[in-house]
């Protein structure tokens, strides 16, 4: 093995985040300590040149490789580079937990993602023990992989091309032609979105603009471009802050009295504000929300913990819905 090959192998291992032992390198390459030190000096010089010439791009993983860390005698590591470029076991653990909780992937897709991420875990035995139960019992919502559909939709979205597909909802199947504006994930599902976040939503099957990707079949890209005006773009970040569930709607200021732990409101709607404490102990909370079905569904889930103050039509929706529910149990109200 040439000296260039040896130095390249050492450099690659350093970029992989490994801490290298001088003694181990001497034994592996059958070289004395001065040779290994010389190799490290060459790598050190190379690092200085690389750091001085790297482009200042926020998207580059090599914005700053840093210098060799020799704090522990006889060991070498690109400590700063590892800390900036590789996730810790704690970070990976949180990502695993979110992936399992999402249930948005088919079992085989989740397994592929899991093992790719797991390869970056340092303490594999401990991590596997911590995740074994959820990994074993994981059941994804999609009945098959959505990767091929995602690939087609992303291509069409980036090229602003129409797609044609069949879609089934409530036992009814129709053929749709839409321009994908975004891929949105919420509440178990990946959606293809074809309208802005304030569009009409789920009121008319033929006018749908949000489609669960696992229900989209026979997707094909049409050779038809349809540029989307900037003002009509879908803004998923705004939608996520305005609703508990993935339903579009017009912006509203929702005012409620809440009779339970306020974190259930404040965490769900990040721009909500407690305006006052009422005499009965409830909290008057103002929420920048939307008037879509997702907000209405969330309000119904709160039961006796919430009273809607305004808008009045949202209040009426809840009252009518509760009356209808009571009628299923042969309970009638006097008002």
């Amino acid at each position: 093995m040439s000296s260039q090959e040896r130095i390249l192998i050492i450099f690659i291992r350093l970029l992989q985040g490994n801490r290298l032992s001088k003694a181990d390198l001497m034994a592996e390459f059958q070289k004395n300590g001065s040779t290994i030190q010389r190799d490290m000096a060459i790598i050190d010089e190379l690092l200085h040149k690389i750091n001085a010439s790297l482009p200042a791009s926020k998207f580059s993983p090599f914005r700053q490789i840093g210098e060799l860390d020799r704090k522990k005698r006889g060991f070498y590591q690109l400590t700063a580079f590892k800390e900036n470029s590789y996730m810790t076991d704690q970070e990976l653990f949180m990502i695993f937990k979110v992936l399992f909780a999402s249930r948005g992937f088919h079992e085989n897709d989740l397994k592929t993602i899991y093992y790719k991420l797991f390869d970056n875990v340092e303490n594999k035995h401990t991590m596997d023990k911590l995740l074994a139960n959820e990994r074993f019992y994981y059941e994804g919502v999609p009945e098959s992989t959505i990767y091929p559909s995602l690939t087609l939709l992303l291509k069409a979205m980036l090229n602003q091309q129409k797609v044609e597909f069949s879609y089934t909802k409530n036992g009814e199947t129709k053929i749709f032609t839409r321009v994908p504006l975004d891929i949105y994930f919420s509440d178990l599902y990946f959606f293809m979105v074809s309208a802005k976040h304030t569009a009409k939503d789920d009121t008319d099957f033929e006018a749908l603009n949000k489609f669960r990707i696992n229900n989209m079949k026979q997707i094909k890209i049409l050779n038809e471009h349809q540029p989307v005006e900037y003002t009509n773009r879908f803004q998923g970040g705004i939608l996520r802050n305005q609703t508990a569930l993935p339903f579009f709607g017009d912006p509203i200021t929702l005012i409620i009295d809440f009779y339970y732990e306020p974190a259930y409101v404040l965490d769900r709607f990040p721009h909500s504000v407690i305006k006052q404490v009422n005499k009965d102990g409830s909290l008057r909370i103002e929420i920048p929300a939307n008037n879509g079905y997702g907000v209405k569904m969330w309000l119904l889930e709160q039961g006796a913990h919430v009273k809607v103050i305004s808008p009045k039509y949202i209040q009426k929706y809840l009252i009518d819905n509760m009356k209808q529910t009571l009628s299923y149990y042969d309970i009638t109200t006097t008002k």
Side-chain angles (χ1 to χ4, degrees):
M1 178 185 295
S2 68
S3 60
Q4 289 91 342
E5 290 174 324
R6 183 179 66 250
I7 292 171
L8 181 58
I9 290 172
I10 294 172
F11 188 52
I12 290 173
R13 290 178 184 172
L14 288 168
L15 289 177
Q16 290 174 330
N18 297 313
R19 187 173 70 173
L20 306 182
S21 162
K22 179 180 176 182
D24 289 344
L25 294 174
M26 290 168 59
E28 178 182 353
F29 297 113
Q30 297 183 351
K31 297 294 180 181
N32 58 36
S34 59
T35 299
I36 299 301
Q37 286 178 321
R38 198 159 44 243
D39 290 345
M40 290 302 174
I42 293 172
I43 291 173
D44 237 348
E45 184 179 354
L46 176 63
L47 287 170
H48 285 295
K49 291 179 179 178
I50 292 174
N51 288 324
S53 61
L54 282 175
S57 170
K58 65 178 181 180
F59 301 111
S60 172
F62 301 107
R63 281 177 289 167
Q64 189 68 28
I65 297 180
E67 300 179 352
L68 279 177
D69 184 352
R70 294 187 174 89
K71 291 177 182 177
K72 188 169 182 180
R73 186 176 178 84
F75 289 88
Y76 311 94
Q77 188 174 30
L78 290 172
T79 305
F81 177 71
K82 181 181 180 181
E83 291 174 351
N84 293 330
S85 304
Y86 292 91
M87 288 183 286
T88 65
D89 282 5
Q90 290 78 12
E91 291 168 333
L92 288 165
F93 176 78
M94 290 187 288
I95 291 173
F96 285 131
K97 285 290 185 176
V98 172
L99 285 172
F100 289 136
S102 76
R103 296 186 57 217
F105 299 88
H106 182 265
E107 286 85 344
N108 292 338
D109 293 340
L110 190 280
K111 189 180 295 183
T112 299
I113 296 170
Y114 176 85
Y115 284 113
K116 284 182 178 178
L117 288 172
F118 195 81
D119 192 50
N120 296 287
V121 173
E122 284 195 45
N123 195 332
K124 290 180 168 55
H125 177 75
T126 300
M127 184 71 79
D128 187 61
K129 187 176 180 180
L130 290 170
L131 299 173
N133 186 270
E134 284 191 88
R135 177 168 53 83
F136 181 80
Y137 287 104
Y138 175 82
E139 292 188 27
V141 171
E143 295 179 354
S144 60
T145 179
I146 63 171
Y147 280 13
S149 298
L150 272 173
T151 301
L152 282 174
L153 294 173
L154 285 170
K155 180 179 179 182
M157 183 178 76
L158 293 171
N159 294 325
Q160 296 185 324
Q161 291 176 290
K162 288 185 177 180
V163 294
E164 183 182 274
F165 55 94
S166 67
Y167 191 73
T168 302
K169 182 178 180 181
N170 294 331
E172 185 178 1
T173 301
K174 289 185 179 294
I175 303 297
F176 290 87
T177 301
R178 295 286 190 271
V179 178
L181 299 186
D182 205 347
I183 305 297
Y184 187 77
F185 179 83
S186 180
D187 190 41
L188 304 177
Y189 305 109
F190 282 93
F191 295 92
M192 184 204 81
V193 175
S194 59
K196 65 189 300 183
H197 54 287
T198 56
K200 296 296 181 183
D201 189 26
D202 284 45
T203 54
D204 180 359
F205 185 34
E206 293 187 358
L208 279 185
N209 283 301
K210 185 178 87 265
F211 304 87
R212 283 165 35 184
I213 293 177
N214 60 303
N215 280 0
M216 299 172 66
K217 308 298 180 185
Q218 301 172 321
I219 304 172
K220 61 180 179 180
I221 298 177
L222 305 178
N223 290 323
E224 185 177 347
H225 293 264
Q226 184 173 317
V228 178
E229 294 183 7
Y230 184 77
T231 54
N232 290 327
R233 72 195 187 283
F234 173 77
Q235 297 188 71
I238 292 178
L239 179 64
R240 203 174 296 281
N241 290 336
Q242 286 182 341
T243 181
L245 296 167
F247 290 90
F248 300 169
D250 291 322
I252 61 170
T253 298
L254 177 66
I255 300 177
I256 64 172
D257 286 344
F258 201 68
Y259 293 81
Y260 198 56
E261 167 59 52
Y264 290 106
V265 180
L266 304 179
D267 291 347
R268 179 66 69 181
F269 299 93
H271 296 151
S272 55
V273 177
I274 297 174
K275 304 299 287 188
Q276 67 182 46
V277 178
N278 299 321
K279 291 181 179 180
D280 61 2
S282 65
L283 299 173
R284 179 68 54 88
I285 303 178
E286 186 175 290
I287 308 170
N290 72 18
N291 62 359
Y293 182 61
V295 170
K296 296 171 184 175
M297 191 185 303
W298 177 81
L299 288 167
L300 287 168
E301 289 175 354
Q302 307 312 306
H305 295 318
V306 68
K307 176 183 177 181
V308 173
I309 306 303
S310 68
K312 292 298 182 183
Y313 67 89
I314 299 288
Q315 183 188 84
K316 183 178 184 303
Y317 175 88
L318 263 66
I319 294 172
D320 291 344
N321 193 285
M322 287 186 281
K323 286 180 178 180
Q324 180 66 44
T325 302
L326 288 172
S327 72
Y328 296 152
Y329 301 94
D330 298 322
I331 299 174
T332 58
T333 58
T334 56
K335 292 184 179 181

